[in-house]
Amino acid sequence: MELIMQHKSLGRVFEVRCLHIPVNDRTTYEGLLHVVEESVKYEHNLSPNRPIYITGDSFGGCLALSLAARNPEIDLVLILVNPATSFAKTPLQAMLPLLEMVPSNLPVITLPHLLRYFIGDPLKMAIVSIQTNTSPQDTLQRFSENLSSILPLLSEFGRVVQMDTLLWKLKLLKSGAEYANSHLHAVQAEVLLLASGNDNLPPSGEADRLFKTLKTCKVRYFRTSSDRLLMEESFNLLTVIKGSSMYRQGKQRDAVTDFLPPTLSEFRRTYGVDFKLLHHLLSPVMLSTLRNGKIVRGLAGVPDKGPVLLVGYHQLLAMEITSMAEEFLREKKAVLRTLAHPVFFVGNFEILRQEISFFDVVPMYGGVQVSPINTYRLFERDEFVLLYPGGIREALHRKDEDYQLFWPDQPEFVRMAAQFGVTVIPFGCVGEDDMLEIVLDYNDLKNIPFIRETIESFNQDCPGVRSTVKGEEGNQVLHLPAVLPKVPGRLYYLFGKSIEMKGMGGVQRDRESANQLYLDIKSEVENIMSYLKRKREQDPYRSITARTLYQATWGATAQIPTFEP
């Protein structure tokens, strides 16, 4: 019942199997575990090199953990949704002796709060089949019809199910929790733990205990959701699996081949809800350069097919990425495969990602860990690749370093682009100085004792990406500068003229030629930013006030004009 809202999306990626316990079944916990175990072993024998995903909600979470503990040789990925491993701490445990005194043939409907625990929330069940794009009137009518049809069934169900059934289920739950807790040390499987409802949240929540106990565990908290998380209308299990980098087809996750492009519903959720306000404030202007050198609005100057390498400046706190990703999806139907810092993927920093955040958006929208081999493989697959040679040194720059490039003397990406005949597009983006002001940068933070020690400890455990590069270009210290928002200006992008690398075999073989082209690309990025800084002064809608008045006149969806290129 709980998984019914997730079937459609999960079915696009997985072969979904649902395990059901009949109402009159009285199999013991060990017996149920054996049944599930046989099913899993059967699937494993059919495809021994593929992982098996097991989603367990509440009692199902206990079964999943127990199964993993008994079968460490099988490649399992557990998705635990509010697992019932904390049963001993719940009021239900204390109620067991009292319920044993109740007549066994008493209908459960006489205890409605227990009936809700048994079958779930009827209001949420009534919402399941309603389309989200229907009008309010149709939604209300459909909801009323669904609820009217469900309530008599639930009433009948409550009369049919008697107290002995409920008592058996509670005892089963107790046995499952005890078994799972006593075998947590033996669980070798990857675990994604989804926690909602007050009983599961920190500081005393069950999810925190399991995260610290299990060997390989990721947690995502949903603080505003009920304990019936899988039936929340806004919740999508597949999206969470993708965002937490838990989807894989083989023994190890491959960020290149295991990537699942965002669906239309995910795109609408990300850019129509999550980033809607941010993009309204940024009001990005996208410009590109045609083959004849003419600058036009939009991405007409960018090729429609890859392999393409976008090389440019990384703005403060990477504020430019989400708008770029959206525009390429809208106009080019292309996913930007961003070469990102390891902090977005390394498990040691999982505690930073326990809330759904930008850390999940990066892998969900194509981000991969920056490395030569990943770049090579993305070019091989004709992808649109986004590279920031300045890395986090630019994205976390100091005061008065706006629009300075910190590119190392390493032209390897140019030689690799020549090898695959990649189209290289230099680009620049300006606007960070109209959005944020740095109050405390790294030079300030490192002089504050407690913060300095925290930064040092964090960076000692984090894999570096430029440990051999000297000078400021290699000073890739992870930290979070203190910033203050400004009255928003506007973000401006310009994608320069395409550089066709096909046929440039000499660049691949000659380091001097590669280095010269590298410097030319760097110079072009600097020229683009100078152009944008100059031209934005001519934009009558650079101010958010002017943009708001324009949209109030012409509508919220109207494209806001800008300067003439």
Side-chain angles (χ1 to χ4, degrees):
M1 180 66 74
E2 295 290 329
L3 204 59
I4 191 170
M5 293 185 71
Q6 312 297 328
H7 280 177
K8 186 175 181 180
S9 60
L10 290 174
R12 298 191 184 104
V13 178
F14 299 101
E15 296 178 17
V16 181
R17 308 279 190 272
C18 293
L19 303 176
H20 169 66
I21 304 175
V23 173
N24 295 321
D25 186 274
R26 293 296 182 271
T27 306
T28 63
Y29 182 76
E30 287 77 7
L32 289 174
L33 185 55
H34 177 72
V35 171
V36 178
E37 195 171 42
E38 289 301 308
S39 298
V40 168
K41 286 182 177 179
Y42 175 78
E43 295 291 342
H44 174 67
N45 290 333
L46 290 178
S47 304
N49 296 319
R50 295 174 60 187
I52 297 175
Y53 283 70
I54 301 178
T55 300
D57 181 23
S58 188
F59 172 72
C62 297
L63 272 176
L65 286 168
S66 303
L67 176 67
R70 286 164 55 122
N71 297 274
E73 73 284 356
I74 299 179
D75 186 9
L76 299 176
V77 180
L78 309 185
I79 313 296
L80 308 181
V81 186
N82 297 320
T85 46
S86 61
F87 177 79
K89 302 176 184 177
T90 65
L92 293 173
Q93 166 83 346
M95 291 174 61
L96 266 177
L98 298 176
L99 292 175
E100 288 178 336
M101 300 170 60
V102 176
S104 61
N105 60 352
L106 184 70
V108 177
I109 196 171
T110 58
L111 299 171
H113 60 289
L114 289 179
L115 180 62
R116 181 183 179 279
Y117 157 76
F118 199 63
I119 60 175
D121 188 346
L123 296 179
K124 292 187 181 298
M125 294 166 64
I127 295 174
V128 168
S129 61
I130 301 177
Q131 299 294 326
T132 56
N133 57 353
T134 56
S135 66
Q137 295 87 347
D138 291 341
T139 299
L140 183 60
Q141 181 179 353
R142 185 68 184 274
F143 173 76
S144 178
E145 292 172 354
N146 288 352
L147 191 60
S148 298
S149 62
I150 287 174
L151 288 178
L153 296 176
L154 296 182
S155 178
E156 184 63 25
F157 182 83
R159 291 188 181 91
V160 171
V161 177
Q162 297 183 343
M163 191 57 62
D164 63 335
T165 302
L166 178 60
L167 190 60
W168 165 78
K169 183 166 184 178
L170 292 178
K171 289 181 177 179
L172 191 66
L173 197 54
K174 179 183 177 182
S175 300
E178 290 174 349
Y179 189 101
N181 281 316
S182 64
H183 291 79
L184 290 178
H185 64 280
V187 176
Q188 303 294 324
E190 287 184 83
V191 178
L192 175 59
L193 183 55
L194 310 182
S196 62
N198 293 332
D199 293 338
N200 296 294
L201 300 179
S204 59
E206 178 67 1
D208 189 52
R209 181 183 75 89
L210 292 175
F211 173 70
K212 294 174 181 177
T213 304
L214 295 169
K215 294 179 181 178
T216 308
C217 182
K218 296 182 179 182
V219 178
R220 292 296 181 272
Y221 291 116
F222 299 84
R223 297 181 183 275
T224 60
S225 298
S226 70
D227 55 357
R228 299 288 179 177
L229 182 62
L230 293 175
M231 297 192 75
E232 295 277 345
E233 184 181 6
S234 60
F235 178 81
N236 186 297
L237 181 57
L238 180 60
T239 300
V240 177
I241 293 172
K242 290 161 61 175
S244 56
S245 300
M246 292 288 284
Y247 176 75
R248 57 184 172 87
Q249 302 174 77
K251 295 289 185 182
Q252 301 292 331
R253 172 171 165 77
D254 186 321
V256 175
T257 59
D258 286 335
F259 171 66
L260 297 173
T263 63
L264 181 59
S265 61
E266 288 170 340
F267 177 82
R268 287 172 175 167
R269 169 74 187 186
T270 301
Y271 294 104
V273 179
D274 298 339
F275 289 112
K276 184 177 181 179
L277 177 59
L278 175 64
H279 287 192
H280 173 72
L281 296 175
L282 298 179
S283 186
V285 175
M286 299 276 176
L287 305 169
S288 61
T289 309
L290 302 178
R291 289 179 178 272
N292 61 9
K294 182 181 179 181
I295 297 175
V296 296
R297 190 162 187 181
L299 301 179
V302 177
D304 294 325
K305 295 182 179 180
V308 171
L309 176 63
L310 303 165
V311 185
Y313 171 69
H314 215 355
Q315 290 214 85
L316 182 63
L317 300 179
M319 68 171 66
E320 79 285 353
I321 288 184
T322 56
S323 296
M324 284 179 62
E326 178 185 15
E327 195 64 21
F328 270 81
L329 278 168
R330 285 189 187 279
E331 191 168 337
K332 293 295 179 180
K333 305 297 185 290
V335 176
L336 285 183
R337 306 304 303 272
T338 305
L339 297 169
H341 193 278
V343 74
F344 286 97
F345 310 98
V346 177
N348 290 347
F349 304 99
E350 181 57 33
I351 195 168
L352 295 177
R353 301 191 283 272
Q354 291 184 349
E355 307 287 344
I356 296 294
S357 67
F358 189 62
F359 282 102
D360 287 338
V361 174
V362 169
M364 195 170 79
Y365 280 83
V368 299
Q369 186 169 328
V370 60
S371 71
I373 186 63
N374 280 342
T375 307
Y376 181 97
R377 296 176 66 213
L378 290 170
F379 286 162
E380 199 174 39
R381 294 166 63 89
D382 295 337
E383 301 271 14
F384 282 68
V385 181
L386 176 59
L387 172 66
Y388 294 105
I392 62 168
R393 180 59 183 86
E394 286 177 0
L396 302 177
H397 65 68
R398 321 302 185 236
K399 297 173 185 175
D400 303 320
E401 289 183 348
D402 302 350
Y403 310 120
Q404 290 186 36
L405 299 186
F406 292 91
W407 291 20
D409 185 18
Q410 294 180 341
E412 277 68 22
F413 78 80
V414 173
R415 301 167 74 178
M416 194 179 297
Q419 178 182 351
F420 284 92
V422 174
T423 300
V424 177
I425 301 179
F427 76 91
C429 181
V430 303
E432 63 178 48
D433 53 339
D434 274 352
M435 302 291 173
L436 299 172
E437 179 180 356
I438 300 176
V439 179
L440 297 174
D441 63 13
Y442 174 66
N443 294 328
D444 299 315
L445 296 173
K446 69 181 182 180
N447 292 323
I448 304 174
F450 173 74
I451 297 179
R452 179 182 65 243
E453 291 157 7
T454 302
I455 293 174
E456 289 175 353
S457 174
F458 185 85
N459 281 271
Q460 282 175 357
D461 296 331
C462 184
V465 293
R466 290 196 182 148
S467 56
T468 61
V469 177
K470 297 181 180 180
E472 281 302 308
E473 290 79 5
N475 188 12
Q476 302 275 315
V477 181
L478 284 166
H479 66 285
L480 190 62
V483 298
L484 285 177
K486 295 182 178 181
V487 176
R490 202 172 190 183
L491 228 54
Y492 302 88
Y493 301 75
L494 173 56
F495 298 91
K497 193 173 181 180
S498 300
I499 302 173
E500 303 286 348
M501 301 295 290
K502 192 172 183 179
M504 290 190 180
V507 172
Q508 182 185 351
R509 294 184 294 271
D510 183 8
R511 184 173 182 83
E512 185 175 337
S513 298
N515 192 60
Q516 183 57 53
L517 183 54
Y518 176 84
L519 293 176
D520 291 343
I521 293 172
K522 181 180 179 182
S523 177
E524 179 63 13
V525 172
E526 291 173 329
N527 292 337
I528 287 172
M529 290 193 292
S530 296
Y531 169 85
L532 289 174
K533 284 191 287 184
R534 184 175 69 254
K535 293 294 290 185
R536 70 177 175 177
E537 301 294 337
Q538 304 171 17
D539 184 3
Y541 298 99
R542 182 178 175 184
S543 162
I544 190 172
T545 304
R547 296 197 300 271
T548 302
L549 290 174
Y550 183 89
Q551 289 188 318
T553 304
W554 298 100
T557 59
Q559 185 183 59
I560 301 173
T562 186
F563 58 79
E564 284 295 325

